[in-house]
Amino acid sequence: MADPHNLAEIYSRQRNEAIEYLQSNYDASILEVENPYLYPVTLQIKLIIEDQNINLLLSLPFNFPDSFPQVKLDDQSFKKLYPLPHLNKYKTLCIYDEVVATPNPDNPIGVLEASIEKSREIILSGVLKHNVNDYTDEFETYWAEDSVGSYLSIVQPSVTLKNVYLVPFKYQNWVEQGIFADQKSEAIKWIQNLGGSFNEEEIVEVLYVPLKEPMQFPFPKYNINIFHLIKKNKSSNINDFFVYLSNSKRPSKVLFSVHADEGYSWGVWEHIKPFKKIVSNYKGRKSTRTGIDGFRTNSQHGWLELVKEFPKMEITKYSVQDVRATRLKSRGGDGKVNNIGLNVAIVGCGAVGSHIAQGLFDIGVQNLLLIDSDYLSFENINRHLCGADQVGQKKPVAVRDKLRRHYPTSQIHVSNDNILSFLKRYPKALNSYDVIIVATGHTPTEIRLNELQMNNLINKPILNVWVEPYLAGGHAVWNEPENKTALKMLFNNGIYKYQILKDGNLYSKKELGCNTSYVPYGVLELKKFIIEVMMFIQQQLNNEEKSSKLFTWLGNLTEQKKNKRLLAPKWVGASDFSFRLNDIEINHESVDVNDL
């Protein structure tokens, strides 16, 4: 008896039903499959579209009908139709974007019919030239089809031509051959952050051309097509383009961008050393000419080369991926980039400080200073951002190396010094940062920094962040320089006025040995706290009315009571996983906000 919950049997049954349906209704024939693991069966069906016989190849995925069939054309049909919008050179039709379209697994036959009808619609629209604009809408896909390689770019788009740099690099098994940047140093920093390798002698200066109008299909193939493209777009002075070609050693790459409503698309074309076959009238002898008539050997003239002498020379195409921080934040985030220009200093790179550093990148901050004199140890890694592979490194270095590999456009500076020693040598160094976050968990250091702020030696906001044992709660004190408050005023006999555990010191732990005490708490609760802190930081950064605030996060209070850990009277009736905001000046407590 078949098991109704066995996936293999479910998919096999529905696949057989699909085969039977296609054979009965479309006279489908079963073909040999290329990849039986992903696509166990391929069937050919015949359609007549605008009096043309078209053969569709439907490959049913192993998990049909949870996924759409792959639809391709046979060789003969492909030769008839290509090029066609949504048909790539691998003979595959792009029928659905599965990010926005989802098959209905309860209706397998409907999935089949929808796929066939969509294929018919795409082909018919292409034959009738009704969807030619789709080439433009999917420019990057079609440009990449003819590309011989790929690059990355962090070039900032502009409205005029400009010179940029190409730095070839190698990194693991990446296929990207290099990165374009406005400044050579930016590209080198990006590669070094990633951990890649490059050769300074291979760095070249290339031209960037912003195209003001979309590139129309058919896309440029020859020199003469590039001439007409540049002339039509009127991208600054066309003479600048020809001067570049005249002075640039072949092969000469040109980076370009196409502006669309959703952003920019990028690509590269390349002019190789020109040549053409010449057949002499004398005995039909053949020769190859690489120069321009009337010019010295190896001399170049951009306009003559493209327009007069070698108009049918083919250009070489490369695809380009835009990896600017602003674009990646927009593509893989909420699109808000207002924090990217901020500079933030983090004092203390333990568990709390390291996760705050990661959290700052989550809200768009890219420029950090990390200060800590401690080393990463195995005892740290269970709740630290960094792991065993970085044990033995100074904590700021470990955090920097981890983050800059993730975010190569970042600028992260480190100081392996005690913060007070650092400030003895560089008293005003922290004033070049927009916010100073102190996550040392060391009250005397926090108070000392606050005194420097009170005496106007530090003139930027300071955020002190710390947690209580078992993460019964966590705290953040945001002190603005315009309405600052002495941190000592928030403590009474060493006890913070909003402390959650009645006596948190009772719950610290100690191993055998000197200086082995530690505060117990788990990484899951820490991450939950950090998320709320980051929301608080974001709120403070976006708040035009600069005010000092006290932030209190309440953890799993039920768990504390269960384990007989006494809560301060203020919090006995409070909700688990909630937070409160207090104004430092008037100490007026806000309404309890629940996180659940």
Side-chain angles (χ1 to χ4, degrees), residues 79-95:
K79 289 176 182 177
K80 287 181 187 177
L81 297 174
Y82 190 81
L84 195 79
H86 308 290
L87 174 64
N88 66 30
K89 65 179 181 181
Y90 303 108
K91 306 174 188 143
T92 303
L93 282 171
C94 179
I95 57 173

Side-chain angles (χ1 to χ4, degrees), residues 16 83 120 164 171 179 194 228 234 253 255-256 264-265 288 315 323 342 355 427 468 474 482 488 516 518:
N16 289 335
R120 185 196 301 272
V164 298
Y171 178 69
I179 185 167
L194 184 72
H228 291 304
K234 300 177 181 178
K253 290 181 173 62
L255 174 71
F256 70 91
Y264 291 85
S265 294
T288 301
I315 60 172
V323 293
L342 292 178
H355 284 285
E468 296 191 33
E482 290 81 6
K488 290 180 179 178
T516 59
Y518 63 97

Side-chain angles (χ1 to χ4, degrees), residues 154-157 162-165 180-184 186-187 208:
I154 53 174
V155 170
Q156 292 298 325
K162 63 180 178 180
N163 289 336
V164 298
Y165 290 89
F180 292 92
D182 288 290
Q183 301 296 328
K184 188 191 307 184
E186 292 176 341
Y208 161 63

Side-chain angles (χ1 to χ4, degrees), residues 570-593:
K570 175 188 286 289
W571 306 116
V572 170
S575 303
D576 293 346
F577 302 117
S578 58
F579 67 85
R580 299 193 183 183
L581 284 177
N582 299 327
D583 187 288
I584 288 183
E585 291 183 323
I586 61 175
N587 294 329
H588 179 68
E589 193 168 306
S590 71
V591 177
D592 188 4
V593 183

Side-chain angles (χ1 to χ4, degrees), residues 506-524:
L506 291 176
Y507 306 107
S508 62
K509 299 287 186 179
K510 181 177 175 61
E511 293 181 330
L512 296 178
C514 183
N515 294 322
T516 59
S517 296
Y518 63 97
V519 177
Y521 58 87
V523 68
L524 185 62

